[in-house]
Amino acid sequence: MSHSVLIVEDDPQFRATFADAIASAADLRLAGVADDLPAGRRLLEQTKPDVLLVDIGLPSGSGIELIRWARQFLPRCDVMVITVFGDERHVLQCIEAGATGYLLKGASSLDIVEQIRALYQGGSPISPAIARQLLIKRFQNNGGEFLETQRLSTQERTVLEMSSKGYSYEEIAGLMQLSSNTVGTYVKRIYLKLQVHSKSEAIYEARKLGLLRD
């Protein structure tokens, strides 16, 4: 089964590199490419991709607008941000808008195909430099209080609480009257915000931060 990927990137070199990498992967299919916000929005509506690969510094507006639109109208679409902006403000805005992965351009370890595969397999890829920055900042806020950057939404916290009680994601979807894909998206955002890679790690971190009761 192939997964379709839409690229919205204004830099022609990065755009071509990503497109070539996706086109060469047997399990991925290039849904289209766009170099600005209006074209990206049109292609999102037309192609309804499985994955949106988006830069946030677009010449015609912020890619964050596109992330919000995808979250509202294409909840099954995973969003991978790939950008030069690694500051906390941009990371927070993208996560809150609905991104489930955040990568920095130019990273020596960047393999876009493998990162996309990790995304649709349930992971939340994040560049190590960003994860390190958020981890350090978490404990610079008056004794390690939970920062806004990692704050879980009501629905994300509900999913985590039910998961900690032993419910499967399919059971959670039924009880919350959501699709399994929507629950999967919430799980990816939880992992990204807590900087973890598994359910057990998420539960451990949430309890340590006081987000879950024992």
Side-chain angles (χ1 to χ4, degrees), residues 140-160:
Q140 291 179 343
N141 185 42
N142 297 328
E145 293 177 6
F146 193 50
L147 296 181
E148 189 67 30
T149 306
Q150 294 89 23
R151 193 175 301 280
L152 303 183
S153 70
T154 300
Q155 289 170 308
E156 289 163 356
R157 185 178 292 207
T158 299
V159 168
L160 187 56

Side-chain angles (χ1 to χ4, degrees), residues 78-113:
D78 278 314
V79 179
M80 176 87 81
V81 173
I82 182 158
T83 184
V84 297
F85 299 107
D87 59 284
E88 183 182 359
R89 180 174 65 87
H90 281 100
V91 175
L92 171 61
Q93 288 177 339
C94 289
I95 293 173
E96 290 301 318
T100 46
Y102 199 105
L103 302 175
L104 292 177
K105 289 179 178 177
S108 60
S109 60
L110 179 61
D111 182 335
I112 196 62
V113 169

